[in-house]
Amino acid sequence: MRTDSSPGTLPAREHLPAGDAGTPVLDVVIPVYNEEKDLQPCVRRLHDHLTRTFPYAFRITIADNASTDTTPQVSRHLAERIPQVRAVRLEQKGRGRALRAVWSASDAPVLAYMDVDLSTDLNALLPLVAPLISGHSDLAIGSRLARSSRVVRGAKREFISRSYNLILRGSLQARFSDAQCGFKAIRRDVARALLPLVEDTGWFFDTELLVLAERAGLRIHEVPVDWVDDPDSTVHIVRTATDDLKGVWRVGRALATGSLPLDRLARPFGDDPRDREIKDVPGGLARQLVGFCVVGGLSTLFYLLLYTGFRSFTGSQVANALALLVSAVANTAANRRLTFGVRGRGGAVRHQAQGLVVFGIGLALTSGSLAALNAASSDPAHSTELAVLIAANLAATVLRFLLFRAWVFPEERDAHPVRPVPEERDAHPARPVTEPRPTPRAAWEDATTRLQPVRPYDTDPRDPR
């Protein structure tokens, strides 16, 4: 489903300047809940590391979400003692709620967060944020599952983490390797475009953010990390896993129905090599061919199974017609969604009707082949029937792709109009009059106002805690 209700296209990536006095380039958020014991050593260690190794101005923001111990007092003490530390208090729990509140209010162009236990080696922090500062990537995550990562943790957590990521890959087609590592960063302009689309306020928040970013075509950079499990972690594994599975179902359903307006974020950064016009190569043809072949192969197997089942109680012509009809409906639906990228219910009936016309052509080819076979042999073997049908279906498949691309789904082929390639490498394509081009720093520099305590979403009815 195409929609114009997205929060707007993103500005072109720019290499961030060294930064003006008083404006941090990096804002590292530490969400905490009842962490009076670990908070002070964590913040001091992080501050010392950034002071020694980070070449830009930075800020550390403690996001206290409804702590009931002395964590708020410790936060205020650290903010008073260390100039680069700020403390924010929220009256409701939820890591996602804390990150949304601080990231939405921050004036830093690069936003990051890490867990208070500092299980991840801090030497990975600069490699994490460097691609965002340079303009190469939009988000960055630490990965404990990369081949070069060095991880120390128990078998139980290892199994849970790998199983969760397999679920994400199987259900949401996620390609990032580690959704749960508490070590992530995002450009502020990207965060402000994606945060309105993220519903979760708890532990599933960053997973949902990553899935939406990946589906929108944004670039996610992964950094192998050294990670040591914290045996005193207060995370409730069973409840968190249950909430995550509910989140996977909700996001998967939204993606399947096309209710998320991600289409306008798919080409946000000016000169995308995929948008370049290459002579004699129609845009999107290679991807569509791969998708169509995969769907076609699966449809052929489905068709053969149906034909074999129907053939056990009816004649070859009737079995062929029934099997082809059922598989054609499934094939049209699969190609509509996977090959040509059409989401939602709009136009589905028309597409199926056109698909049935294509089905009629395929039926004529396959039925004609069977008629010719029966004319040549009064009692052909079942294996011979299958061979003839496979050959006829291959011919019908080629014709089906051409008709789908030129007639059934012509609009989706040109969903992203080709823009001329700029003559200079650092030039940007012209923008429409209704979308003024931002200045190089306007995309991230609003003002140098100090971060104030904010309390959005304090009455969010979706959070059960």
Side-chain angles (χ1 to χ4, degrees), residues 42-242:
C42 161
V43 172
R44 292 192 177 278
R45 178 182 163 196
L46 175 60
H47 178 266
D48 177 68
H49 176 84
L50 288 171
T51 301
R52 289 185 295 104
T53 65
F54 194 68
Y56 296 94
F58 65 88
R59 175 194 294 132
I60 300 172
T61 300
I62 304 169
D64 171 30
N65 41 195
S67 293
T68 57
D69 59 3
T70 61
T71 297
Q73 290 84 350
V74 176
S75 302
R76 288 195 295 269
H77 173 79
L78 290 168
E80 292 170 358
R81 292 285 194 277
I82 306 175
Q84 292 88 357
V85 175
R86 298 290 184 269
V88 176
R89 166 76 176 180
L90 289 91
E91 299 301 334
Q92 281 188 298
K93 292 173 61 177
R95 181 181 66 171
R97 176 177 286 109
L99 292 176
R100 183 199 302 272
V102 178
W103 283 357
S104 298
S106 180
D107 58 351
V110 176
L111 311 168
Y113 95 88
M114 61 182 61
D115 294 335
V116 69
D117 55 17
L118 296 186
S119 296
T120 305
D121 184 10
L122 292 178
N123 287 325
L125 182 55
L126 184 55
L128 183 80
V129 301
L132 309 187
I133 294 174
S134 69
H136 174 270
S137 300
D138 309 301
L139 299 90
I141 64 174
S143 175
R144 299 163 297 183
L145 303 181
R147 291 183 179 274
S148 56
S149 298
R150 292 173 288 189
V151 177
V152 178
R153 61 175 168 181
K156 180 180 179 181
R157 285 183 176 270
E158 181 77 10
F159 174 78
I160 292 174
S161 180
R162 291 188 179 275
S163 298
Y164 179 63
N165 283 281
L166 284 175
I167 291 173
L168 291 180
R169 288 176 178 268
S171 59
L172 301 178
Q173 289 80 49
R175 294 191 298 272
F176 46 85
S177 65
D178 191 351
Q180 293 177 309
C181 183
F183 195 72
K184 296 182 175 70
I186 185 172
R187 287 175 65 102
R188 189 187 66 174
D189 47 10
V190 177
R192 292 192 172 178
L194 287 178
L195 287 179
L197 307 179
V198 180
E199 293 185 17
D200 192 80
T201 58
W203 291 95
F204 187 69
F205 170 86
D206 44 351
T207 299
E208 184 174 355
L209 184 73
L210 288 173
V211 170
L212 299 185
E214 189 173 73
R215 288 300 186 94
L218 305 184
R219 179 173 288 161
I220 301 175
H221 177 73
E222 295 198 19
V223 179
V225 298
D226 298 341
W227 194 85
V228 179
D229 190 13
D230 178 15
D232 299 325
S233 175
T234 58
V235 177
H236 193 290
I237 296 179
V238 175
R239 185 177 63 187
T240 301
T242 302

Side-chain angles (χ1 to χ4, degrees), residues 396-407:
T397 296
V398 175
L399 183 59
R400 184 184 303 122
F401 176 75
L402 296 176
L403 290 174
F404 274 174
R405 182 175 171 84
W407 179 46

